């Protein structure tokens, strides 16, 4: 059976339009990927901080208390368990972890105590209740506390379900990628 000329022309035009749409979409994905890779842009899909587009801004000094940073978590037994449980995502950091967005609440030399909540140098950290179990009822191991070692930072997020230094302890400051700056975000 031969299609009438107008139907054949319409089918060819639809294929051409589909090919153009696919090409433009592929180019957009490449541009977004390159902007992320070379421009320091990242998309946050976790509730620890507002959802959306963020930018990594170079940190040209030592990290300080109050800095909101992108950091690669260290590849430790605790972080591997966390990824297996779904607390951490896979990504491009060493150990194949995705970078985290967290606030620095203690730096080297400061004393961190973990009880029902976190204190740093005997000052309560806001929104730092420590959970005994995760959302599925699995036990959580908490950091035992102590003085933050030289070259490390203690991280926190005020989101109640955040997996941060309350559970995995201080992390090397060398893992900090830069300051975290919101570009286009939405806080649900």
């Amino acid at each position: 059976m031969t299609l009438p000329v107008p139907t054949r022309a319409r089918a060819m035009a639809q294929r051409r339009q589909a090919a153009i749409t696919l090409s433009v979409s592929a180019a957009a994905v490449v541009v977004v990927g390159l902007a992320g890779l070379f421009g320091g842009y990242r998309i946050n899909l976790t509730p620890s901080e507002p959802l959306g587009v963020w930018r990594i801004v170079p940190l040209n000094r030592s990290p300080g208390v109050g800095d909101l940073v992108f950091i690669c978590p260290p590849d430790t037994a605790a972080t591997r368990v966390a990824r297996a449980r779904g607390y951490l995502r896979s990504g491009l950091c060493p150990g194949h972890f995705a970078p985290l967005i967290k606030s620095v609440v203690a730096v080297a030399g400061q004393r961190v105590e973990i009880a029902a909540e976190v204190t740093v140098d005997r000052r309560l950290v806001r929104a730092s209740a420590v959970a005994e179990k995760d959302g599925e009822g699995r036990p959580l191991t908490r950091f035992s506390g102590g003085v933050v070692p030289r070259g490390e930072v203690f991280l926190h997020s005020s989101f109640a379900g955040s997996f941060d230094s309350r559970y995995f302890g201080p992390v090397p400051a060398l893992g900090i990628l830069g300051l975290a700056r919101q570009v286009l975000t939405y806080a649900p």
Side-chain angles (χ1 to χ4, degrees):
M1 168 183 222
T2 306
L3 294 174
V5 175
T7 304
R8 185 178 301 148
R10 190 175 318 130
M12 300 246 333
Q14 288 174 337
R15 280 191 215 119
R16 193 172 19 257
Q17 183 61 38
I20 291 169
T21 301
L22 183 60
S23 296
V24 169
S25 297
V29 168
V30 168
V31 168
V32 168
L34 290 173
L37 188 61
F38 296 109
Y41 291 93
R42 298 291 184 272
I43 296 176
N44 178 43
L45 300 174
T46 67
S48 291
E49 294 295 335
L51 307 175
V53 179
W54 289 72
R55 184 161 188 243
I56 300 172
V57 176
L59 179 63
N60 299 319
R61 58 173 172 74
S62 297
V65 172
D67 285 341
L68 184 62
V69 297
F70 272 98
I71 188 165
C72 284
D75 187 5
T76 64
T79 54
R80 285 190 296 276
V81 167
R83 185 175 51 212
R85 287 185 172 189
Y87 309 155
L88 301 177
R89 296 177 189 256
S90 295
L92 299 176
C93 289
H96 304 289
F97 294 102
L100 305 174
I101 305 173
K102 302 291 179 196
S103 292
V104 175
V105 295
V107 294
Q110 292 188 285
R111 175 167 287 287
V112 176
E113 294 179 23
I114 309 286
E117 294 178 291
V118 177
T119 59
V120 174
D121 293 337
R122 298 187 180 194
R123 285 185 296 251
L124 181 65
V125 174
R126 182 181 69 78
S128 66
V130 180
E132 297 292 326
K133 296 181 180 199
D134 69 10
E136 294 186 20
R138 298 172 291 199
L140 289 169
T141 303
R142 65 174 71 175
F143 171 61
S144 60
V147 175
V148 177
R150 183 174 174 211
E152 297 194 2
V153 293
F154 192 88
L155 304 171
H156 175 70
S157 170
S158 59
F159 175 67
S162 177
F163 189 71
D164 53 38
S165 288
R166 291 175 277 190
Y167 308 103
F168 54 73
V171 296
L174 291 175
I176 293 176
L177 302 171
L179 296 170
R181 296 290 184 252
Q182 296 180 41
V183 176
L184 182 61
T185 61
Y186 166 72

